[in-house]
Amino acid sequence: YPDSIACYYMIARAAHHGVNELRELFPVMISRILRCMDKEGKWKDELATALAVCALQYMGAEDECTTRAKLWLFNRQQVDG
């Protein structure tokens, strides 16, 4: 994986789709993901931000951080998609 955020996304997705043994990792993963968020409300780039938001959603950890990140992504959207 390109970075830890991508790895956390894959683990959260697997747990969301039934690999329940991975759920015990959620508290540590949520903490680590949120620590990587910068002051602008994003992670390293658009891909990392999208993966972080999706991972947090899969883990049921949506809050004002994910709202800020979604807004940041929305504002980065280009006309071609």
Side-chain angles (χ1 to χ4, degrees):
Y1 299 110
D3 58 31
S4 60
I5 298 295
C7 186
Y8 297 145
Y9 164 78
M10 295 300 175
I11 293 169
R13 185 173 186 267
H16 179 77
H17 289 285
V19 185
N20 293 320
E21 297 80 5
L22 296 173
R23 292 182 180 277
E24 67 187 56
L25 301 173
F26 282 8
V28 171
M29 290 173 29
I30 291 167
S31 173
R32 289 181 181 180
I33 290 171
L34 292 175
R35 274 197 322 245
C36 293
M37 186 180 204
D38 69 18
K39 292 177 183 178
E40 291 180 47
K42 64 175 180 61
W43 283 264
K44 183 172 81 174
D45 55 24
E46 289 87 350
L47 177 60
T49 301
L51 291 175
V53 168
C54 288
L56 291 167
Q57 288 178 323
Y58 279 139
M59 293 185 284
E62 285 192 89
D63 63 8
E64 67 277 351
C65 292
T66 53
T67 301
R68 283 182 37 210
K70 288 180 205 177
L71 182 59
W72 183 84
L73 284 169
F74 179 77
N75 289 328
R76 301 282 299 169
Q77 185 73 37
Q78 302 294 312
V79 293
D80 62 353

